[in-house]
Amino acid sequence: MKRFVFLTLGMFTVSSSLFMAAGLLPKMSQTIGQPVSITSQCITAFDLAYLFSAPLFSIALANKASKPILQLAFIVFLLGNLIILFSESFVPFLFGWSLTGLGAGIFNPLCVSIAIQSVEQTTKGKVLSLLWGANSAGAVFGVPFGIYLSSRFNWRFSIGFIFVLGIIALIGVSLQQVDKTFPVVSSLRDRLRLLVDKNILSVVGITCLTSIASLGLYSFVAPIQAGAPYSLTVSLFVWGLGGFIGSSLVGFFVDRTKKPRVVMAYILMGLMLTFITLPFTKDLPYLGLISFFMWGAFGWATPTPQQHVLFELSENQSAILPALNSSAIGLGSSLGTAMGGLIIASGFKEINLPFLAAILLVGAIIGQLKLVKIPIKEYCS
């Protein structure tokens, strides 16, 4: 696993950057002179750039060496952070977040592709958990530390922290032996056909719907958590800690049961119940934190089983499938943030947003239960 250390650091850095934004929105809004409902669209910009860059670049860069692409992606990510760091108005601020999303959209799925092609079938769940665990660790450790820097100094110190981490990750990736070429085993037409394959679309559709509910809701964690008997930093830390544990352990259950679709169904049910309880427990000293912990645990556990199912569907498309899964996550987060902003602007109370998220998950659960009933041989045909 040592060969993946700087790949995991890179995913940690990207995660810290995105999820830190939700906690920094009030202070960033003051700097650029826009209300939170407008400033929050920086998350939408990140997610949209992430969404479109992942599948397009995975097709265009097929059969290319991975290390130069990784380096280029992270340079773009770092450039975006530099622009954010020195932004004084909304336009460059939004452009900077778009660049970070572009770089992250290429970097993250390529990390997954490299790792999954470097291990045996029996340990793929473990490796996926390692990478997504690093991603969630960004929320556990990176986000609270960044928010602390913001409260102690200025939000720009938080972005500077991300930039320094990114430089370390870039140097590490450049020095490590992570180069891998993904052979083109099918025509461009066949690879594009994956984008409309009903079986693959059913998986990424559930991923997207789950992301709308979970990550879209997270974009408004600050107003949802307001008035609770614990600070925002504590809430985010507990949420991220749950995410780290959930994403780290889910690979064990996937490898052990060899039933990733069933594992995903249970995760969705747990996440839905968590959202229903969240508004009722928010003001309680300990139960509220348990809800945030379970939200993080179930929410961050979803990418691993979904990615595992996609590899079962088409193992020969290891370059584009992680990109599709990542794009589904990005699209869901973007839609969730945009929808949440519109709903709040209409006068809807933020504390009731978890109920809407739970309703969305009902649809995801129904779709997942239908997939569980389909034999895997038929599902992959």
Side-chain angles (χ1 to χ4, degrees):
M1 295 297 177
K2 292 181 179 179
R3 53 186 162 168
F4 302 138
V5 61
F6 287 106
L7 295 181
T8 57
L9 178 60
M11 295 194 73
F12 174 91
T13 304
V14 169
S15 173
S16 297
S17 175
L18 173 60
F19 291 103
M20 193 183 296
L24 299 179
L25 281 178
K27 292 191 175 183
M28 291 191 298
S29 296
Q30 295 175 2
T31 299
I32 65 174
Q34 297 291 338
V36 172
S37 60
I38 298 298
T39 309
S40 66
Q41 298 313 307
C42 71
I43 301 176
T44 304
F46 180 101
D47 291 333
L48 286 176
Y50 192 105
L51 162 68
F52 290 110
S53 65
L56 293 179
F57 277 85
S58 65
I59 293 175
L61 300 175
N63 206 32
K64 303 292 191 305
S66 59
K67 179 181 282 190
I69 302 171
L70 281 173
Q71 292 169 319
L72 175 61
F74 226 71
I75 289 172
V76 171
F77 173 81
L78 291 172
L79 177 60
N81 275 277
L82 271 182
I83 295 175
I84 296 169
L85 185 63
F86 294 105
S87 292
E88 295 287 348
S89 59
F90 183 66
V91 173
F93 180 78
L94 199 65
F95 179 67
W97 280 105
S98 298
L99 281 183
T100 62
L102 176 65
I106 303 169
F107 183 84
N108 275 9
L110 191 53
C111 282
V112 174
S113 297
I114 292 171
I116 208 69
Q117 290 298 312
S118 303
V119 296
E120 300 296 329
Q121 177 68 32
T122 55
T123 58
K124 285 185 178 181
K126 181 180 179 181
V127 171
L128 286 171
S129 284
L130 173 68
L131 293 175
W132 289 113
N135 213 28
S136 60
V140 180
F141 305 109
V143 170
F145 183 68
I147 293 178
Y148 167 76
L149 288 177
S150 175
S151 62
R152 186 71 174 82
F153 303 103
N154 184 283
W155 67 266
R156 298 186 194 277
F157 280 81
S158 304
I159 302 300
F161 164 66
I162 295 297
F163 185 80
V164 172
L165 280 182
I167 290 292
I168 296 172
L170 176 60
I171 294 173
V173 168
S174 300
L175 295 177
Q176 275 198 309
Q177 296 296 323
V178 295
D179 213 12
K180 190 174 185 64
T181 300
F182 298 96
V184 178
V185 296
S186 59
S187 66
L188 177 60
R189 178 181 298 179
D190 289 336
R191 282 178 277 135
L192 290 174
R193 192 176 295 136
L194 290 175
L195 301 178
V196 293
D197 182 275
K198 64 177 183 179
N199 292 327
I200 290 176
L201 285 179
S202 64
V203 177
V204 298
I206 290 173
T207 296
C208 181
L209 197 58
T210 305
S211 183
I212 291 175
S214 184
L215 295 182
L217 186 66
Y218 178 85
S219 299
F220 303 95
V221 65
I224 290 173
Q225 188 270 349
Y230 33 81
S231 68
L232 176 61
T233 301
V234 171
S235 299
L236 293 179
F237 176 80
V238 172
W239 179 86
L241 180 63
F244 178 70
I245 293 175
S247 59
S248 298
L249 293 180
V250 68
F252 168 80
F253 292 104
V254 170
D255 287 338
R256 186 71 178 268
T257 64
K258 295 180 173 59
K259 295 180 179 180
R261 292 177 295 162
V262 175
V263 172
M264 182 66 178
Y266 281 115
I267 291 171
L268 291 174
M269 293 177 190
L271 189 59
M272 180 193 68
L273 292 176
T274 299
F275 286 158
I276 293 174
T277 62
L278 186 60
F280 298 108
T281 61
K282 186 203 76 170
D283 295 326
L284 302 178
Y286 297 104
L287 290 179
L289 290 177
I290 292 175
S291 294
F292 273 90
F293 179 88
M294 299 308 296
W295 176 8
F298 287 124
W300 277 101
T302 58
T304 292
Q306 293 296 82
Q307 192 66 75
H308 207 285
V309 171
L310 288 174
F311 280 121
E312 288 179 344
L313 292 176
S314 184
E315 292 186 5
N316 292 330
Q317 297 292 352
S318 59
I320 190 174
L321 292 179
L324 290 177
N325 199 45
S326 294
S327 289
I329 295 172
L331 175 61
S333 180
S334 175
L335 289 175
T337 302
M339 291 166 58
L342 291 174
I343 292 172
I344 291 173
S346 69
F348 194 83
K349 293 183 178 179
E350 292 93 337
I351 189 59
N352 293 323
L353 287 175
F355 294 132
L356 297 182
I359 292 173
L360 287 175
L361 287 178
V362 171
I365 291 170
I366 293 173
Q368 187 65 26
L369 291 177
K370 289 182 178 180
L371 296 183
V372 169
K373 293 180 180 179
I374 303 175
I376 192 64
K377 289 183 179 180
E378 177 183 342
Y379 190 56
C380 293
S381 61

